[in-house]
Amino acid sequence: MTGLVDRAEKRGVVARVRDQRDRRAARIELTEQGREIAYAAHRKVTEHVERLIGDIDPGDRERLEHLVTGIITAPRPVPAARA
């Protein structure tokens, strides 16, 4: 994980911010550039999904949204740590 954060920090998309309650810890926050990239990606995905489901009947669309939300929010087992 540290390597991923290091690379993202070098690219200027995240910044480490010291945790005021625990000096040993740091929070990772998006920079302005990181937020722009995240918003652009979100817009692109949203537009693509709208194109895919735009013609679906409103009732079917609501059921699809309910099913997808359930899939996304369902609890999942945590994989065991490798030894």
Side-chain angles (χ1 to χ4, degrees), residues 22-82:
D22 184 353
R23 293 184 353 177
R24 298 167 297 174
R27 293 188 334 265
I28 307 304
E29 295 183 357
L30 289 172
T31 62
E32 184 60 34
Q33 179 185 356
R35 278 190 292 281
E36 289 173 10
I37 292 169
Y39 290 141
H42 181 267
R43 278 191 305 275
K44 195 170 198 173
V45 168
T46 301
E47 289 168 4
H48 186 67
V49 169
E50 283 297 324
R51 282 193 302 273
L52 290 171
I53 65 171
D55 294 333
I56 293 177
D57 173 83
D60 290 339
R61 188 175 180 149
E62 187 174 322
R63 282 190 290 282
L64 177 61
E65 181 180 340
H66 178 74
L67 289 169
V68 171
T69 299
I71 292 168
I72 292 170
T73 60
R76 289 175 178 68
V78 177
R82 295 182 193 172

